[in-house]
Amino acid sequence: MKKIELIALLTDSKKIIELLQRRGVVEISRNNDGLNGMNVTAVVGEFEKFRNISAQALQILNRYSPEKKSLTEIFGSKSEIEVDNFGKGAMQLEKIMTVANEIVKNSQEIEESGKKISQLDLKCDILNQWENLDIPLNFKGTATTTAFIGSVPSAVEVSEILPENTHTEIIFWSKEITDIFVLSHKESAEETADILRKIGFIPLSETENNTPSEIIKSCMDERKFLINRITELEKHIAGLSEKRKSLEFAVDYLSMRKDKYNALSLLGFTENTFVLNGYIPEKYVDKLKKELENKFTVYVDFSEPSEDDDVPVLLENGNFSAPVESITKMYAMPSETDVDPTPIMSFFYYLFFGMMLSDAGYGLVMLIATTIILKKFRLDSTMKKTMTMFRNCGISTIIWGALFGSWFGDIVQVIGREYFNREIGSIALWFQPLDDPIKLLLYSFGLGILHLFLGVGVSFKMSWDSGRKLDAFLDTVPVYLTIIGVAPLASSILVSVPAILKTTGTYLMIAGVVLIILTSGRSSKSVFGKFFGGLYALYNTATGWLSDILSYSRLLALGLATGSIAGVINLIGTMPENMIVKTILLVVVFIIGHTANLAINLLGAYVHTDRLQFVELFSKFYTGGGREFRPFTADTKYITFREDI
């Protein structure tokens, strides 16, 4: 990583920033040289507002007129665009925003109409029980009478408790409520109102000067109009589907413009020039410098970062290790004192993943699917690395599956037995884990020890390279001796181990334990501190390594789970006696069952392989804490520029 300092004419500032954005190789730092800055808050806010409108319009358009995507588009392929065409598209932005606003406005009207329909439906539901009332709902009486229209609890006999000179009519009755119309003489109106209030009378709050049936008809007519209006608006929005690409362009263009002005706010300005500081990977230095100097009047300087600089980290590995860089990023980027753990873990990552999935049929499916995707589709770098990682894991799965004799479980034996009346024995190139799980468990522990030793070895090299050669030796060799010595002794609990190995292991273990006790407390100044520090280190070594090694039993557990479930799926498919029914059921169960088994155990293998790296391996040498290199780039979703650096 190099530091970059760029000084150019103020008139070229926007063009240079746009070039750097398309190249995507420079991380711009805020200028701290005391120069003037640019306030871009208002401009960025405007771009953000317009972008949100475009994105909202695109989302609405996709809802009413879903886009039929090809497999290429599903896997994230972006439309390529020339720089000149990008400029021409920008000139059409005003027209595009008019369409976007129209779509959003129509959507809002649809939403408001939907709410009105809900309100009308509720109003009709309430008025349906008043439909038999043949007077306006706001009727208050005549010159000599007072009307009461409302509801009371159904258990009350209203007519029996009201004054004699009143008329009561039941409009609707149910177990919960009774709707009534009461007409009282003016002289007894107050008495009637008082009695109704005491029994829980609730007056109807309708103010329209129409009968319930007239209001219901009016509501239904309005409802029909709103439904037709919604249909009309939906068709209109769907008819704008040819504007989808324009809206996608607007979303990306406005995002880039917003990012561009945010980048401008990081620069330092004088009356006629501007200054840009940042970081750039060394491999891009020469080409970028040449391009800038050919196109602009500019001074560009590249230098080594100092110890005080907050230097970002960019991982760069070979074809074998690069696909698992995302695993390292998921944990933490390397700090200045770390090594990149990606190439260290990559071999064991593929190894453990395949061992956990451990079915050659599933691995073959992964290999074919990822190879087709990598060959046929134009993927971005992140997706390409992910597909490559799963392709390599698929190859490992095929190897382990062949060693264990698992091809979609025991489908080979099942077909031979059920359709050809032949018993096919084991097709494992090594052994079948279900027949000898203890053997697989011991090999899992053995691979785990090698994995952990690799981490300790890296720690040894880091200490050695930093000049702490004695610490490198004393922190590593005693652990190696102890674990190598304990391994045959512990294995003898489960299997027979030659006496010479147990004897050798005993001596190695004793040597390792003695060295740990004598050397681990060397930082203490007192004899007792050194001794008890050594005992404490021995305790930590014993408990820590025991738990770490036992963690690798998941290699056995997940491997057995995949094969066992696959065998059960095949068994279910061959249960019927009738051959035609059996064949149909086997095909259906095979496709559905093995697809589900692959999905579940693929996730399990991914999660637990990650865990073995993060918890077991990284704890031996890796600290992390670095900052990922984040270049200023065209962070687009739908388009990409057809040019390279």
Side-chain angles (χ1 to χ4, degrees):
M1 197 67 65
K2 296 286 187 180
K3 289 183 67 175
I4 177 174
E5 183 178 15
L6 181 151
I7 304 175
L9 295 176
L10 186 60
T11 53
D12 291 332
S13 60
K14 293 183 180 180
K15 292 181 180 179
I16 291 176
I17 286 295
E18 288 173 356
L19 175 64
L20 294 179
Q21 187 176 35
R22 295 196 303 273
R23 295 295 177 257
V25 297
V26 175
E27 179 183 288
I28 301 176
S29 303
R30 182 172 295 278
N31 185 278
N32 294 316
D33 295 334
L35 300 177
N36 295 326
M38 179 184 292
N39 188 346
V40 299
T41 304
V43 179
V44 169
E46 285 295 305
F47 284 129
E48 179 69 18
K49 181 181 72 173
F50 292 140
R51 185 206 170 277
N52 290 340
I53 293 174
S54 301
Q56 185 182 359
L58 184 60
Q59 185 180 17
I60 294 168
L61 183 60
N62 289 334
R63 183 165 68 246
Y64 292 107
S65 179
E67 183 181 15
K68 296 179 180 179
K69 291 187 176 182
S70 64
L71 284 175
T72 303
E73 293 170 322
I74 290 174
F75 280 98
S77 178
K78 299 178 182 179
S79 301
E80 288 190 341
I81 187 172
E82 300 283 354
V83 177
D84 292 341
N85 292 334
F86 181 80
K88 293 177 182 177
M91 296 176 64
Q92 302 297 317
L93 184 64
E94 185 176 350
K95 295 181 180 179
I96 299 173
M97 290 308 302
T98 300
V99 174
N101 283 311
E102 181 182 357
I103 292 175
V104 172
K105 183 179 178 181
N106 289 343
S107 177
Q108 290 173 345
E109 186 177 347
I110 290 173
E111 186 178 351
E112 291 172 0
S113 297
K115 292 179 180 178
K116 289 181 180 178
I117 289 174
S118 298
Q119 293 170 356
L120 291 172
D121 289 341
L122 178 61
K123 186 175 182 179
C124 286
D125 288 341
I126 295 173
L127 291 177
N128 279 334
Q129 62 194 44
W130 290 95
E131 195 169 8
N132 293 328
L133 185 66
D134 56 0
I135 61 173
L137 289 176
N138 66 346
F139 179 70
K140 302 300 181 182
T142 64
T144 58
T145 62
T146 300
F148 299 90
I149 303 174
S151 305
V152 295
S154 60
V156 179
E157 294 292 341
V158 180
S159 60
E160 296 180 0
I161 62 176
L162 292 178
E164 292 183 359
N165 55 349
T166 59
H167 168 74
T168 304
E169 184 178 343
I170 296 177
I171 308 301
F172 173 82
W173 178 89
S174 70
K175 292 181 179 181
E176 292 80 20
I177 197 169
T178 299
D179 297 331
I180 61 173
F181 167 69
V182 177
L183 190 63
S184 175
H185 197 276
K186 286 284 188 180
E187 295 176 354
S188 57
E190 291 186 9
E191 181 183 358
T192 301
D194 186 56
I195 294 173
L196 290 175
R197 185 167 53 254
K198 290 179 179 179
I199 63 174
F201 176 77
I202 303 174
L204 190 65
S205 59
E206 187 59 55
T207 60
E208 293 192 39
N209 188 27
N210 299 97
T211 65
S213 58
E214 291 172 342
I215 297 173
I216 290 173
K217 183 180 182 303
S218 175
C219 288
M220 297 305 294
D221 291 342
E222 185 178 358
R223 187 181 190 277
K224 184 177 180 181
F225 170 79
L226 291 172
I227 290 176
N228 291 335
R229 179 58 178 165
I230 288 174
T231 303
E232 179 184 337
L233 291 171
E234 288 177 344
K235 288 182 179 179
H236 179 68
I237 293 175
L240 296 173
S241 58
E242 74 275 3
K243 302 294 184 180
R244 192 189 318 273
K245 294 300 180 183
S246 297
L247 290 171
E248 290 176 349
F249 172 85
V251 171
D252 281 346
Y253 172 79
L254 292 166
S255 294
M256 289 179 60
R257 293 281 286 178
K258 183 190 72 171
D259 293 342
K260 169 187 168 182
Y261 276 87
N262 279 327
L264 286 170
S265 70
L266 301 176
L267 309 182
F269 295 91
T270 65
E271 185 176 351
N272 297 309
T273 64
F274 76 94
V275 178
L276 179 150
N277 295 303
Y279 297 94
I280 179 173
E282 186 174 4
K283 62 181 180 180
Y284 299 124
V285 164
D286 293 336
K287 197 166 187 179
L288 181 65
K289 182 177 183 180
K290 182 178 179 181
E291 184 176 18
L292 287 170
E293 291 178 343
N294 287 340
K295 293 182 177 180
F296 306 102
T297 301
V298 61
Y299 166 78
V300 188
D301 179 63
F302 301 97
S303 60
E304 293 290 338
S306 67
E307 294 183 358
D308 297 330
D309 289 328
D310 183 20
V311 184
V313 178
L314 175 66
L315 300 181
E316 187 171 308
N317 293 282
N319 294 333
F320 184 78
S321 300
V324 294
E325 287 177 350
S326 61
I327 308 302
T328 299
K329 293 178 182 178
M330 191 187 306
Y331 183 82
M333 295 294 285
S335 66
E336 294 182 2
T337 58
D338 281 319
V339 296
D340 181 4
T342 307
I344 298 167
M345 73 169 177
S346 56
F347 172 77
F348 276 99
Y349 190 92
Y350 299 136
L351 182 76
F352 291 155
F353 192 105
M355 193 174 180
M356 289 183 188
L357 196 54
S358 68
D359 186 282
Y362 295 170
L364 190 61
V365 170
M366 292 174 60
L367 177 60
I368 294 173
T370 52
T371 300
I372 292 174
I373 292 171
L374 288 168
K375 292 290 185 181
K376 297 295 184 180
F377 304 131
R378 189 173 62 251
L379 309 175
D380 59 38
S381 59
T382 301
M383 180 62 74
K384 186 175 182 180
K385 286 182 179 180
T386 300
M387 289 297 107
T388 304
M389 182 189 78
F390 281 110
R391 183 197 63 187
N392 295 346
C393 290
I395 295 172
S396 175
T397 303
I398 293 174
I399 295 173
W400 281 108
L403 291 174
F404 294 154
S406 180
W407 294 82
F408 296 106
D410 59 345
I411 193 64
V412 176
Q413 290 88 337
V414 167
I415 292 176
R417 180 174 62 253
E418 299 293 336
Y419 291 93
F420 299 99
N421 200 27
R422 288 186 57 187
E423 287 294 335
I424 300 176
S426 173
I427 58 174
L429 300 180
W430 188 16
F431 73 98
Q432 290 184 305
L434 289 173
D435 295 338
D436 194 356
I438 297 301
K439 183 176 182 179
L440 180 57
L441 179 64
L442 291 176
Y443 275 102
S444 298
F445 288 155
L447 289 173
I449 291 173
L450 292 177
H451 193 223
L452 295 171
F453 276 8
L454 174 64
V456 175
V458 175
S459 177
F460 174 90
K461 185 178 186 304
M462 292 172 65
S463 297
W464 187 277
D465 291 344
S466 66
R468 297 182 294 112
K469 297 183 178 181
L470 180 61
D471 289 338
F473 180 86
L474 295 179
D475 290 339
T476 304
V477 174
V479 174
Y480 278 168
L481 293 175
T482 303
I483 302 304
I484 293 174
V486 170
L489 300 178
S491 300
S492 64
I493 300 174
L494 300 174
V495 295
S496 177
V497 176
I500 188 171
L501 289 180
K502 291 196 289 185
T503 302
T504 303
T506 302
Y507 288 127
L508 290 175
M509 180 188 69
I510 293 173
V513 168
V514 171
L515 284 173
I516 290 174
I517 294 174
L518 294 179
T519 63
S520 295
R522 60 186 179 277
S523 60
S524 178
K525 296 181 179 180
S526 65
V527 175
F528 287 105
K530 294 179 184 294
F531 177 72
F532 287 107
L535 289 179
Y536 182 71
L538 178 62
Y539 171 79
N540 284 339
T541 301
T543 56
W545 276 79
L546 176 62
S547 63
D548 286 345
I549 294 172
L550 288 176
S551 293
Y552 291 86
S553 61
R554 69 189 68 240
L555 297 172
L556 164 73
L558 270 74
L560 290 180
T562 305
S564 300
I565 296 173
V568 171
I569 292 169
N570 296 333
L571 177 63
I572 293 173
T574 56
M575 291 178 67
E577 294 293 335
N578 184 283
M579 291 300 294
I580 297 178
V581 177
K582 179 184 294 186
T583 301
I584 295 174
L585 181 62
L586 180 60
V587 171
V588 173
V589 171
F590 183 90
I591 294 174
I592 298 176
H594 284 292
T595 299
N597 192 34
L598 172 59
I600 293 171
N601 286 285
L602 188 66
L603 177 61
Y606 175 75
V607 170
H608 289 283
T609 304
D610 288 357
R611 185 198 180 281
L612 289 177
Q613 313 305 321
F614 295 164
V615 179
E616 272 67 47
L617 178 66
F618 286 2
S619 64
K620 297 297 180 286
F621 70 94
Y622 189 55
T623 303
R627 181 173 66 83
E628 184 178 1
F629 175 66
R630 298 189 181 278
F632 172 54
T633 185
D635 187 14
T636 57
K637 187 176 181 180
Y638 304 103
I639 62 174
T640 184
F641 291 97
R642 190 178 296 148
E643 57 180 358
D644 302 310
I645 184 170

